[in-house]
Amino acid sequence: MRAGVVVAAHPGVEDLAVQAEELGMRSFWVNDTPMVHGDPFVALSLCAKATRRIRLGIGVTSPALRSAPAAASGFASLNALAPGRIICGVGTGNTARRALGMQPATAAALESFTAALQDLCAGRSTEYREGDRVRDIRFLHAGAHVNTTDPIEFVVAALGPKAAAVAGRRGAGLISFGLLDPTAWHALHDARRQAAHGTLRDPGSPADSYVVTALHLLRGTEDSDSDAARDTTGHLVLSLLDFAADTPAFAGQLGPDQREAVRELLDRRGTTATAPDRYTKLYPNYLGRIAPQDRDLVLPSLMNRVALVGTRDDLRTRITALERAGVDELLIQPVIDPPAEMAQLAGLLT
């Protein structure tokens, strides 16, 4: 299993990318969540100049956030700074859109967006539509500021078969947030293979799959629900609770104690599941370090669902199961002590 890291854009992010490269990690990703985090293209430009080998990914952008021409320009510009090292992650913009009080893009829009990016970033023309007007577009200059020669890796964010099928039809890989169930990964890969079969983009061999999670190695007699474990994984748990608080249909699928945690979160944030402005209360500090007073919301059942917590043997057992399910790379999203957490992951996988 390979290792990588996902972070939010922040000053000094390039130093973290250098450390990840020195630890032998394969990839370094930056979130694309406007109005919550900094801009990933700016951050990865700094990382591109500071590193030499590590692959650099946007995790993930969306047709509901950026137009295809603007996104393609960003990726081709990054590819000029770090030739052949760029990963384009695309998705429906689930959280990024909800943080604006809007709905994610459709699977159809995601597929059209992915196809356009693949064409443009390879130097081909593509169809671009605004309302009733349709035009063929392409890069009009092929100078040093863009690189359409070296390949860019494409991955699609997926939790279910529709997005996985988009990845299959477009010959792209998969990335999933907090999906640690090997059975679910088998289903994603099946959906991707079935969609790819017989298409012009059928790769013959599978594209790479990535899972984003958090990692906490228990020390000595430490309990799996210790304050340290909750702090290390709480940002992922609260992101799930935020989504549940914003999506009653999903909340209804949770267990009784988990639904109670959702109700408590809404109460603490001073909003309700139907308030028109609830997104302004739920998403500040999204994926940031949790407050100590929110540790009780980090339920062990939710920690186990979206994060890896356990002894060295426990973690290696779960990671091996994911690897057997076809996951190629484990990406952690560290918030407490990123250098130490990255070193811990690197040590675990060697």
Side-chain angles (χ1 to χ4, degrees):
M1 178 78 77
R2 303 188 308 247
V5 63
V6 184
V7 300
H10 63 273
V13 68
E14 67 273 22
D15 297 330
L16 202 57
V18 169
Q19 293 172 33
E21 184 171 79
E22 291 173 346
L23 285 168
M25 292 191 167
R26 191 240 187 195
S27 64
F28 186 89
W29 304 64
V30 179
N31 299 126
D32 190 11
T33 314
M35 305 295 101
V36 178
H37 299 145
D39 187 83
F41 289 95
V42 173
L44 286 186
S45 295
L46 297 172
C47 297
K49 299 298 288 184
T51 59
R52 294 293 177 267
R53 299 179 306 279
I54 197 166
R55 297 177 70 81
L56 305 171
I58 302 285
V60 297
T61 195
S62 165
L65 300 176
R66 303 177 189 271
S67 70
S73 179
F75 283 109
S77 297
L78 285 175
N79 204 24
L81 298 176
R85 292 197 283 137
I86 304 305
I87 308 174
C88 171
V90 293
T92 60
N94 189 26
T95 300
R97 289 286 290 171
R98 294 184 188 281
L100 302 174
M102 301 295 177
Q103 291 297 304
T106 64
L110 172 61
E111 185 160 2
S112 296
F113 180 69
T114 305
L117 286 182
Q118 289 175 320
D119 284 339
L120 292 172
C121 288
R124 300 186 293 266
S125 64
T126 194
E127 186 180 271
Y128 178 63
R129 179 185 299 272
E130 288 188 6
D132 295 331
R133 179 171 293 184
V134 181
R135 295 289 185 269
D136 284 337
I137 62 169
R138 59 181 174 80
F139 282 109
L140 299 179
H141 298 281
H145 55 291
V146 295
N147 177 0
T148 59
T149 301
D150 292 289
I152 290 175
E153 179 182 355
F154 284 83
V155 298
V156 175
L159 285 172
K162 287 185 179 180
V166 171
R169 287 190 292 271
R170 300 312 309 166
L174 295 170
I175 185 170
S176 199
F177 184 90
L179 188 68
L180 299 179
D181 179 2
T183 301
W185 272 105
H186 282 299
L188 287 184
H189 287 132
D190 285 346
R192 183 189 176 280
R193 280 191 295 269
Q194 290 173 14
H197 182 67
T199 68
L200 293 176
R201 287 185 170 271
D202 189 339
S205 60
D208 285 338
S209 294
Y210 304 81
V211 63
V212 182
T213 186
L215 181 86
H216 184 77
L217 177 62
L218 297 177
R219 301 183 182 278
T221 59
E222 181 187 357
D223 292 331
S224 60
D225 61 348
S226 66
D227 284 352
R230 292 173 189 259
D231 288 345
T232 304
T233 64
H235 58 299
L236 296 191
V237 172
L238 284 202
S239 73
L240 186 149
L241 291 177
D242 286 336
F243 176 68
D246 194 24
T247 315
F250 175 75
Q253 301 173 19
L254 301 177
D257 59 335
Q258 297 169 351
R259 292 197 300 271
E260 181 56 35
V262 173
R263 287 190 287 269
E264 181 62 26
L265 175 69
L266 285 165
D267 186 61
R268 292 183 190 183
R269 300 297 185 262
T271 189
T272 69
T274 57
D277 66 343
R278 61 188 179 279
Y279 62 96
T280 65
K281 309 291 180 62
L282 291 172
Y283 292 105
N285 194 42
Y286 180 75
L287 290 178
R289 183 183 299 208
I290 68 167
Q293 59 267 30
D294 285 336
R295 282 181 182 141
D296 62 313
L297 298 177
V298 185
L299 304 180
S301 61
L302 295 177
M303 292 169 62
N304 189 60
R305 177 171 176 164
V306 298
L308 296 171
V309 178
T311 65
R312 186 174 297 274
D313 287 343
D314 294 335
L315 296 178
R316 283 180 170 166
T317 297
R318 293 190 72 184
I319 291 169
T320 297
L322 287 168
E323 192 169 22
R324 288 174 177 167
V327 177
D328 301 288
E329 192 159 335
L330 184 67
L331 308 175
I332 62 166
Q333 186 138 28
V335 297
I336 301 300
D337 186 349
E341 292 176 58
M342 291 191 306
Q344 189 177 83
L345 174 64
L348 187 68
L349 296 183
T350 55

